[in-house]
Amino acid sequence: MANFENQKFITLDISGKNYLSWVLDVKLHLSAKKLRHTIEENNAASSEERATALIFLRHHIDDGLKYEYSTVENPLELWQNLNDRFEHLKAVVLIGYSYDFRILKQFQNIIPRCSKLYHN
């Protein structure tokens, strides 16, 4: 776990292009630090826990986002603001994955036929 702190953590890009992976990384990190509850509704986090989580979130977002949300003093509020801003990207990414899956499925059907052609 000591090496955990030394791992690279990608900051959230202002365009949100890495939002989905960033969300997963943040949730995992906050869970490991026992701070995940700070970004959940109706939490009973102490002011120290909220401050620690907010510092972590602000440290891992683009400078432009830091500036835009500079008045936010609650990690849950910042988390919700970022979610409201980038949530639509989930649908865009899932549509892309669906398209990629259909293409791969077509190749899955083609590969055995090509293999038979080349090996016969």
Side-chain angles (χ1 to χ4, degrees), residues 8-109:
K8 292 284 183 195
F9 194 99
I10 305 300
T11 61
L12 176 59
D13 188 80
I14 196 162
S15 69
K17 66 182 177 186
N18 63 335
Y19 178 69
L20 293 178
S21 61
W22 181 84
V23 164
L24 179 61
D25 289 345
V26 167
K27 286 180 177 180
L28 289 171
H29 185 84
L30 290 177
S31 293
K33 293 288 193 181
K34 299 187 180 3
L35 293 171
R36 178 139 178 206
H37 64 283
T38 61
I39 58 169
E40 295 172 350
E41 293 283 340
N42 302 320
N43 67 66
S46 68
S47 59
E48 182 180 318
E49 290 172 325
R50 283 194 305 273
T52 303
L54 186 60
I55 290 167
F56 175 79
L57 289 172
R58 289 184 49 78
H59 184 73
H60 293 96
I61 61 176
D62 181 84
D63 288 340
L65 293 170
K66 279 183 201 175
Y67 180 75
E68 186 172 339
Y69 297 110
S70 61
T71 60
V72 176
E73 296 181 359
N74 185 324
L76 174 60
E77 185 181 349
L78 178 57
W79 183 257
Q80 290 171 334
N81 288 342
L82 293 170
N83 186 55
D84 291 346
R85 181 181 182 132
F86 297 119
E87 178 72 18
H88 70 282
L89 295 175
K90 285 183 181 178
V92 172
V93 169
L94 291 177
I95 289 169
Y97 285 157
S98 175
Y99 175 77
D100 292 346
F101 180 75
R102 284 192 308 246
I103 297 297
L104 288 173
K105 195 166 184 167
Q106 289 174 356
F107 280 111
Q108 181 182 10
N109 295 332

